[in-house]
Amino acid sequence: MVRWATRRAPRFTYGVAAAWSAVTVLLGYAVLDVADAAPGVLTLRPLPPPPPTEYVAGRTLPLVPQPSLPVSADVPLPALAGETAAATPAGVDQALAPVLAMSALRDSAVVVRDGQTGAVLLDRGGDELRIPASTTKLLSAAAIGQAFGPDETLRTVVREGDRPDQIVLVAGGDSLLAPGKGDPEAVAGHAGLRDLAGQVAAALARSGNRSVTLYVDETYADGPTTAPTWSPGFRSSGITGAVAMLGLSSQRATGGHPGPADPVAAVRTRFAQQLAALGVDVRVAPRGDAPGTPGSPMPTPGTKAATGTPGASPTTSPTDDAGTTTPTTPTATATATATAQVGGRGSVLGSVESAPVREQLALALTDSDNALTEILARQAAYRSGAATDFAAVGGWVVEQVAALGPSTDGVRLVDASGLSRENRVRADLLADVLVLGYDGSHPVLRSALDGLPIAGLTGTLEQRLTGSDHVAAGRARAKTGTLTGANALAGSVVDDDGRLLVFVGMVAGAGTNDARAALDRLVATVASCGCR
């Protein structure tokens, strides 16, 4: 049985609710062409349907390795070409001259680089600061890759509170929990809430305690759910989900299908129901401070999760902002037998592990998932000791990219997903990050790039680079970016000579359909020109 401890809610007027609903619908319709989701109010021709969402039951995220300098891929991708097949600046300039003369590219920045050597083959306006839209996610991927190890996962834990009849669900950053049983082959839904409930119910049965109060600890990487620079209709129209450190894979926001306004509450409700179904009498405590050490056993600011083996004991981290010593725990898989003490306050009753962060990051790029990108970036910033509001995380991303070597002069981010129109990024910086990703020295970033949408096949490129531009289908992969009046495409392609080339195009002022068509033509030309 589930019982709820309630607090008096503020008085609410249904007339006000109806008015706000009408406003939300209008705002949502006005921004339907944002973030590669759906056509906008001013779009004259329909855009491609929204990309498919990965469901709990299986992996739809393709991880097809792109060839890099030390490693060549099997068929159908050819091995890297030698220097005799390298494109030249003169060849690229000649091939792209007719494309760059298109009216849709009148106000644009275009950069083409050799992906094997990093050589600049074309740079037209690459140093101009422009609205990056969702290509911002490439910078965020580079930053996140510095904070997480290649195989690091996110852990959702239930621990005891100050008393044995108190249990605490600790939000650990996994927003892709399966509502039922987890699927080890999936990215979204890798860890299962039902599995966690089973572990906790078994632990309570062993202790003879069948009546508990359920709390939620939300102190790990806590922050606002939406950014002040986003349109009010972004969340309600499904362009982004709410940014929270707990969530269900079945409730991911997609264009026209918004997720819950409070993902943590949705997880808490489902978890309490599952415990009740297993014979546990559950009283749900009001939101607020949870008993025990705040945030434990998750990493604290300025630290990373320790590495270790299953069942290893937590290690002690530096003191947190409140002056208390908070432990961190290994990120290796934990089971119901993991009953290590947490700060001396009580035992871990159960835990489940997400898919590796690198796979979640690849999924975020494939689906242009704004909330998932923000969730991963916020955790990475938090673990590095940065603040967790949207602007602070955006600033942290810029700092991390600069630490990799590229110049970030003038670059400004106030979010990590690219939904804000206040973001400013240079095309040559996006090209720098892509080249870094393919050089083999940044494994998390490289894995993320392997998950970029593939032209004509997956994600936000499923319906693009087809038709007359089909020559790039299957061998170009790129991150799309769409805000009203600002379109971008940044990625790589293996050309006809087997050479890996990196490209970035950022367009302002053109209609969405015209800008996309011109950018697709640019990529198709690079793929087939030879350019020597």
Side-chain angles (χ1 to χ4, degrees), residues 176-195:
L176 301 176
L177 289 164
K181 183 177 176 59
D183 181 353
E185 298 301 317
V187 178
H190 185 91
L193 200 60
R194 184 186 303 160
D195 299 327

Side-chain angles (χ1 to χ4, degrees), residues 142-485:
I144 293 166
Q146 306 311 301
F148 288 97
D151 296 314
E152 193 165 353
T153 61
L154 306 176
R155 189 179 183 208
T156 304
V157 172
V158 176
R159 59 172 172 82
E160 285 185 348
D162 291 330
R163 305 193 310 265
D165 65 343
Q166 297 174 335
I167 63 172
V168 182
L169 174 61
V170 184
D174 189 355
S175 64
L176 301 176
L177 289 164
K181 183 177 176 59
D183 181 353
E185 298 301 317
V187 178
H190 185 91
L193 200 60
R194 184 186 303 160
D195 299 327
L196 182 60
Q199 292 179 25
V200 173
L204 292 173
R206 287 193 296 271
S207 66
N209 189 1
R210 305 298 291 178
S211 181
V212 296
T213 300
L214 172 63
Y215 296 83
V216 180
D217 185 341
E218 303 175 58
T219 54
Y220 168 71
D222 191 25
T225 57
T226 57
T229 56
W230 293 353
S231 165
F234 281 1
R235 196 207 63 77
S236 60
S237 61
I239 288 169
T240 183
V243 178
M245 295 301 115
L246 270 181
L248 297 174
S249 60
S250 58
Q251 296 180 337
R252 287 178 67 199
T254 58
H257 300 281
D262 190 345
V264 174
V267 174
R268 179 186 64 170
T269 297
R270 179 65 66 94
F271 185 65
Q273 293 169 344
Q274 290 174 339
L275 285 176
L278 294 171
V280 180
D281 182 17
V282 183
R283 174 183 179 270
V284 179
R287 298 282 276 276
D289 294 338
T293 304
S296 79
M298 301 305 163
T300 53
T303 70
K304 292 185 180 181
T307 58
T309 57
S313 300
T315 56
T316 302
S317 72
T319 57
D320 60 19
D321 293 337
T324 59
T325 300
T326 305
T328 59
T329 47
T331 57
T333 302
T335 66
T337 60
T339 56
Q341 293 296 309
V342 178
R345 299 271 187 159
S347 62
V348 172
L349 303 174
S351 67
V352 289
E353 300 283 337
S354 73
V357 169
R358 57 182 169 80
E359 293 190 12
Q360 294 195 43
L361 193 54
L363 176 61
L365 293 180
T366 298
D367 287 353
S368 199
D369 191 320
N370 296 296
L372 181 54
T373 303
E374 296 286 356
I375 289 165
L376 296 176
R378 178 177 294 178
Q379 292 182 72
Y382 174 83
R383 290 171 176 227
S384 301
T388 53
D389 62 277
F390 285 89
V393 173
W396 174 84
V397 167
V398 176
E399 291 175 358
Q400 296 302 303
V401 172
L404 291 174
S407 168
T408 57
D409 290 347
V411 173
R412 178 173 184 256
L413 296 180
V414 296
D415 68 16
S417 60
L419 284 179
S420 176
R421 301 188 69 86
E422 295 183 14
N423 292 334
R424 293 294 182 272
V425 171
R426 305 188 319 269
D428 60 4
L429 176 59
L430 293 174
D432 285 340
V433 168
L434 286 165
V435 170
L436 282 172
Y438 288 123
D439 73 3
S441 60
H442 304 282
V444 175
L445 175 59
R446 174 54 192 266
S447 293
L449 296 184
D450 285 347
L452 282 174
I454 301 173
L457 294 176
T458 64
T460 54
L461 286 184
E462 183 183 19
Q463 302 295 327
R464 291 181 63 175
L465 287 156
T466 57
S468 61
D469 295 325
H470 68 87
V471 293
R475 52 183 170 133
R477 63 185 76 200
K479 183 68 204 75
T480 55
T482 307
L483 288 170
T484 303

